[in-house]
Amino acid sequence: MADQFIKTITKNKYFRAFALNGTNLVRQATAAHETSRLASVVLGRGLLATSLTAQSVLKGEERMAIQINGRGPIGNVVVEADAKGSVRGYVTNDKLASIFDENNQLDVAQAVGTNGFLQITKFAPYSNPYIGQSQLVSGEIGDDFTYYLAQSEQIPSVVGVSVYMNDDDSVKSAGGFLVQALPDATDEAIDQLEVDLKNMKPLSDMLIENYTPLKILEAIFGEGEVEILQVAGVGLAAEPTKDAYREMLTTLPAVEIQAMIDEDNGAEIVGKFSGKRYFFTPEELTDVILEINANNAD
């Protein structure tokens, strides 16, 4: 099931704002990777922030890949997303044990680290990739995307993301918002937005109370103060099928496929983004070798 995403503009035309309920996609991603409690929060925040950013800066067939490396124990956070609402990602250390801060809350910043960068690569048809990079400012992910958008995209923005966990380490709720100032935004309006964001109910509380994406934005700007421009679905990108992975194997030298048979009695492919495993028997790999040889003979 796809989660709901909305794109809006404030009635005074000072801001455009995006919000999404990403509970299902974060649940599916963390279940597929069997992530630990802390890794689930980090991965979920990465998926949410990337989804929001993709919807704000991409169009058509464009897509983006983000990498966060703060040199923390979680390792790399890698997420890909497109303009159509598909997203997928993983963290290097998906079994990281819980780390707590002084308030006994999961310490995302320490897990991610701050001695590194957020890098975003944007891909568009028929053009070279665009790579933007900014330093990590907090390791909390939402703040780091906020800083990136201001520095690399020159778009004054605020990104808020939250993943709330159940006692059994499953995902209870996940969602976020992104607010961007438009050219007509006055200094007074921006100052007021900062005040409103500081005074609003915590995002995690709103998600627990089942706030819709629209209600989250109305909690920021006021009831009836935003106009919906788009409602769309956001969900995990489709995993390549076993047939697709077989096609990839046919691009390898036949000697490498034979080594898989001789040394491992088959081959197991693990999808980095999905965690799914596909096993190829010696007989299946022998068929792959026959196809490789036939293609090379043409």
Side-chain angles (χ1 to χ4, degrees), residues 38 40-50 66 68-70 74 77 99-103 105-115 117-118 135-147 159-163 175 203:
L38 181 53
S40 293
V41 175
V42 174
L43 175 58
R45 289 190 186 184
L47 291 167
L48 296 166
T50 304
I66 75 98
I68 300 173
N69 184 354
I74 198 69
V77 182
I99 304 169
F100 298 97
D101 61 19
E102 58 187 14
N103 297 316
Q105 300 296 313
L106 288 173
D107 198 333
V108 172
Q110 186 175 340
V112 173
T114 56
N115 185 24
F117 296 87
L118 164 61
Q135 284 190 303
L136 297 178
V137 293
S138 74
E140 294 281 354
I141 297 180
D143 295 340
D144 301 304
F145 273 82
T146 296
Y147 185 73
V159 179
V161 289
S162 177
V163 177
L203 178 58

Side-chain angles (χ1 to χ4, degrees), residues 224-286:
E225 293 301 317
V226 295
E227 299 176 359
I228 296 178
L229 302 178
Q230 180 187 7
V231 179
V234 176
L236 286 183
E239 165 69 14
T241 63
K242 185 176 181 179
D243 287 342
Y245 280 118
R246 183 188 183 282
E247 188 67 22
M248 297 177 198
L249 289 173
T250 63
T251 65
L252 299 176
V255 64
E256 292 189 18
I257 305 300
Q258 187 63 52
M260 296 177 188
I261 297 174
D262 296 340
E263 298 173 11
D264 301 316
N265 197 36
E268 184 180 58
I269 296 177
V270 181
K272 210 156 198 178
F273 287 97
S274 69
K276 289 185 178 180
R277 299 174 182 271
Y278 298 93
F279 186 76
F280 288 84
T281 66
E283 292 76 19
E284 289 173 318
L285 293 180
T286 298

Side-chain angles (χ1 to χ4, degrees), residues 41 55 75 122 135 153 190 210 265 289:
V41 175
Q55 294 301 321
K122 291 188 288 186
Q135 284 190 303
E153 301 286 342
I190 293 173
N210 297 315
N265 197 36
I289 292 174

Side-chain angles (χ1 to χ4, degrees), residues 2-9 17-21 55 83-85 212-215 217 226-234:
D3 290 311
Q4 188 188 67
F5 155 85
I6 65 169
K7 176 181 178 180
T8 71
I9 187 171
F18 309 77
L20 70 87
N21 181 326
Q55 294 301 321
K84 300 178 181 179
T212 64
L214 175 59
K215 194 171 180 181
L217 295 182
V226 295
E227 299 176 359
I228 296 178
L229 302 178
Q230 180 187 7
V231 179
V234 176

Side-chain angles (χ1 to χ4, degrees), residues 10-45:
T10 57
K11 289 188 174 179
N12 57 19
K13 311 305 182 195
Y14 288 161
F15 304 97
R16 66 173 185 164
F18 309 77
L20 70 87
N21 181 326
T23 301
N24 290 320
L25 77 87
V26 175
R27 279 177 181 164
Q28 291 166 7
T30 55
H33 290 284
E34 299 180 349
T35 45
S36 66
R37 187 178 185 87
L38 181 53
S40 293
V41 175
V42 174
L43 175 58
R45 289 190 186 184

